[in-house]
Amino acid sequence: FPSHDSEILGNSTNPDFVVYYYDNLATANADMNAGDFSNAIGNPSVYTNSSSPQQTLYAVAVNTATTSGCPQLTTLNITIHTLPETSPQDGTVCLDPNTGNVVTPYIIDSGLSSATHSFVWTDSTGNVVGNASTYTATQAGVYTVVATSLTTNCVSEPQSAIVIEKCIVTGK
């Protein structure tokens, strides 16, 4: 989780104030009583939550310029939002071998709803080719989708679908 020091300390820019984070209230209280904060979360920016989707953490603000430190305990509730997961599938398009016209396009479905997500579809050169929950491929290639949750603004990992050209044309 990102540091919430400014949220906890308010407008204070005093360098003597330090914030220690804990995922266990008993440990936070024990460290406050001992004046030793060595059991705090070492690096909050790489902390992995132990419960999902919400977890309560405990922050102890300490004034290092005083003998006692004047530790103050507060709670910090964090919410973990999962990333959207798209599921495009590989497929085929059919082009008329004589005219090059599309006989059968391939519709690639992201697997997510446009009511809850926005989308960016790109081709293999990185050009944006669509922004709906589905993309209609009319030629062979690799198409990649990235979805963003409209609620949380969490962005999916890019997922690709390979579209090949394969067609059986029958004569008249």
Side-chain angles (χ1 to χ4, degrees), residues 42-122:
N43 184 351
S45 65
V46 296
Y47 174 76
T48 301
N49 64 304
S50 59
S51 64
S52 182
Q54 292 188 327
Q55 182 173 359
T56 299
L57 296 178
Y58 305 92
V60 178
V62 177
N63 182 344
T64 60
T66 65
T67 305
S68 70
C70 299
Q72 296 295 311
L73 177 72
T74 189
T75 58
L76 177 67
N77 293 312
I78 59 172
T79 301
I80 307 301
H81 299 287
T82 57
L83 297 180
E85 292 185 21
T86 60
S87 55
Q89 301 295 309
D90 298 345
T92 59
V93 294
C94 178
L95 304 180
D96 184 306
N98 297 320
T99 65
N101 292 336
V102 177
V103 175
T104 309
Y106 179 65
I107 299 173
I108 310 169
D109 192 335
S110 69
L112 297 173
S113 169
S114 58
T116 55
H117 297 84
S118 63
F119 302 90
V120 175
W121 290 90
T122 55

Side-chain angles (χ1 to χ4, degrees), residues 133-172:
S133 64
T134 61
Y135 175 70
T136 302
T138 57
Q139 60 185 9
V142 177
Y143 298 92
T144 302
V145 63
V146 173
T148 301
S149 168
L150 298 177
T151 305
T152 65
N153 288 322
C154 290
V155 179
S156 72
E157 295 293 328
Q159 295 293 323
S160 297
I162 299 171
V163 176
I164 61 171
E165 183 182 338
K166 183 176 180 184
C167 201
I168 298 174
V169 178
T170 57
K172 293 183 178 185

